[in-house]
């Protein structure tokens, strides 16, 4: 882990028109700030949010969850209430482990990110990249082949914990949903060991308040995150804030707004969200600078939910350079 890429979200402040930041220092099983705040490292993943105690308490079931043996996981899912943490977690991990690592899994599954990965593979090499909302880490692995170092950030601890293990070269077992609450064992191992090679840093953190140094990233990536945060405009502003002059922002989204996640007033662009996102970037609306749109495409994103259900999204992919 490269702790000096991470800054304390508790003490940064604008002082005399300048942003004052303190980088964190690894100290045993936590990251410490000179301001006195500290952030726990659990299972190798630092949890760097404004209030780590509240976050960890809120996510306790997820934080103390160990890698449930796939057989046992099915029993737990069977016993637990429908809206309980574990069944939701199992379902979520089944979808995203397959989506990210299906082509590296046993038994194999479809690789939902194939079209995105193909685009990322064509990008020129850069120094520093960041992926906001990295989930179980395949985007970080792909980006790490085209960057000196990649920071992967996600608020979901269970996902980042698995990303860390996968990118360290470990085999990760998971439960693959077959039908309803019936799951079958599956496992995946990443080909690339970006973490072990020191080419990646993973952190559990909020993409809307990232504990990162602004203005230094050559590539800022947020795949299928815009419609998963309460404020898509704020996410665009954060991405812009992280992006260096001359750097690029890479976004994709199905714009599958859900009112419970993105309040209707925050949903971008009415019937034309893709055009609105492109316009915001081109005009630099609410951003530090305007952007040049270099690439736009409609790509398939196919998520497997169970043995009989796949959901096919058409995602808007856009890559834009900061002027
Ligand atoms: C729809 S999934 C997409 C995951 C991955 N980028 C992909 O394309 O497969 C959205 C991801 O964003 C994460 N997420 C949601 N809100 C977040 C936030 N405020 N900060 C960081 N991650 C967040 C979720 O935990 C989840 O992993």
């Amino acid at each position: 882990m490269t702790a000096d890429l991470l800054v304390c979200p508790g003490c940064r402040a604008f002082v005399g028109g300048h942003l004052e930041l303190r980088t964190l220092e690894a100290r045993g099983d936590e990251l410490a700030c000179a301001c006195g705040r500290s952030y726990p490292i659990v299972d190798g993943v630092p949890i760097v949010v404004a209030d780590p105690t509240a976050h960890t308490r809120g996510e306790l079931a997820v934080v103390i969850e160990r890698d449930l043996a796939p057989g046992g996981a099915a029993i737990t899912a069977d016993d637990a209430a429908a809206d309980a943490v574990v069944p939701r977690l199992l379902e979520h991990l089944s979808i995203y482990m397959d989506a990210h690592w299906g082509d590296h899994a046993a038994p194999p599954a479809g690789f939902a990110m194939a079209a995105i990965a193909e685009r990322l593979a064509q990008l020129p090499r850069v120094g520093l990249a960041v992926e906001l909302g990295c989930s179980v880490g395949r985007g970080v692995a792909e980006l790490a082949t085209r960057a000196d170092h990649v920071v992967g950030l996600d608020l979901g601890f269970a996902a980042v914990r698995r990303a860390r293990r996968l990118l360290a070269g470990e085999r990760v077992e998971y439960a693959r949903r077959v039908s309803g609450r019936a799951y079958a064992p599956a496992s995946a191992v990443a080909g690339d060991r970006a973490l072990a090679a020191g080419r990646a840093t993973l952190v559990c953190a909020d993409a809307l308040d990232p504990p990162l140094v602004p203005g230094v990233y050559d590539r800022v990536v947020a795949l299928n995150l815009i419609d998963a945060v309460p404020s898509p405009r704020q996410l665009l502003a954060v991405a812009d804030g992280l992006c260096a002059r001359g750097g690029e922002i890479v976004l994709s989204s199905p714009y599958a707004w859900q009112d419970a996640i993105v309040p209707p007033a925050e949903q971008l662009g009415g019937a034309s969200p893709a055009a609105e996102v492109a316009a915001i970037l081109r005009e630099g609306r609410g951003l530090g600078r305007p952007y040049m749109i270099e690439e736009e495409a409609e790509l398939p994103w196919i998520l497997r939910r169970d043995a009989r259900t796949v959901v096919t999204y058409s995602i808007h992919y856009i890559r834009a350079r900061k002027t």
Side-chain angles (χ1 to χ4, degrees):
M1 185 197 333
T2 313
D4 59 4
L5 287 170
L6 303 178
V7 304
C8 179
C11 67
R12 64 186 153 191
F14 275 100
V15 179
H18 294 283
L19 184 59
E20 282 197 353
L21 299 168
R22 289 194 179 95
T23 54
L24 298 172
E25 200 179 294
R27 202 180 290 158
D29 56 1
E30 60 182 28
L31 293 182
C33 178
C35 75
R37 290 177 177 84
S38 63
Y39 302 90
I41 301 173
V42 182
D43 213 6
V45 176
I47 301 175
V48 188
V49 291
D51 186 346
T53 310
H55 185 74
T56 309
R57 203 177 286 138
E59 289 260 287
L60 197 58
V62 172
V63 172
I64 62 171
E65 162 261 341
R66 284 283 148 194
D67 290 349
L68 301 160
I75 294 163
T76 314
D78 196 39
D79 289 348
D83 62 347
V85 174
V86 171
R88 275 192 284 123
L89 186 62
L90 281 176
E91 190 184 342
H92 180 84
L93 290 171
S94 171
I95 293 170
Y96 284 95
M97 283 297 295
D98 273 350
H100 284 219
W101 300 103
D103 58 336
H104 287 258
F111 175 34
M113 290 178 68
I116 299 174
E118 220 169 88
R119 297 271 162 170
L120 297 180
Q122 291 163 16
L123 299 181
R125 199 172 174 81
V126 292
L128 201 50
V130 58
E131 186 188 1
L132 305 173
C134 67
S135 184
V136 290
R138 182 60 178 269
V140 173
E142 297 296 328
L143 292 165
T145 67
R146 321 290 310 144
D148 295 342
H149 198 90
V150 185
V151 177
L153 173 157
D154 199 290
L155 201 48
F157 179 77
V160 196
R161 152 187 276 171
R162 284 163 176 84
R164 196 220 33 95
R165 290 182 49 202
L166 283 153
L167 299 184
E170 293 175 33
R171 179 170 289 278
V172 168
E173 300 207 334
Y174 63 105
R176 178 179 288 156
R177 197 179 195 197
V178 179
S179 176
R181 293 194 179 192
Y183 285 79
S187 68
V189 63
D192 186 27
R193 300 171 70 225
L195 266 186
R199 287 185 285 113
T201 297
L202 291 167
V203 58
C204 178
D206 189 349
L208 297 182
D209 185 22
L212 303 174
V213 179
V216 299
Y217 288 88
D218 307 304
R219 180 167 292 143
V220 180
V221 180
L223 304 172
N224 310 314
L225 180 62
I226 291 179
D227 57 4
V229 293
S231 175
R233 280 186 186 81
Q234 189 182 337
L235 180 67
L236 293 174
V238 167
D240 168 59
L242 293 172
C243 191
R245 286 288 296 273
E248 63 185 3
I249 290 182
V250 181
L251 305 168
S252 70
S253 182
Y255 307 116
W257 310 118
Q258 295 175 64
D259 291 0
I261 297 172
V262 189
E266 296 288 336
Q267 297 173 11
L268 300 173
S272 309
E276 176 71 359
V277 169
I280 289 172
L281 290 169
R282 199 181 305 111
E283 295 162 21
R285 234 187 290 149
L287 313 178
R289 304 280 310 168
Y291 284 71
M292 294 256 298
I293 311 293
E294 296 194 336
E295 193 181 355
E296 268 189 283
E298 291 295 327
L299 304 177
W301 187 46
I302 302 161
L303 297 183
R304 179 197 178 281
R305 295 195 169 268
D306 63 34
R308 294 179 180 276
T309 317
V310 293
V311 180
T312 302
Y313 296 91
S314 176
I315 55 172
H316 173 226
Y317 175 91
I318 182 165
R319 188 170 58 78
R321 189 161 303 282
K322 193 168 189 172
T323 59

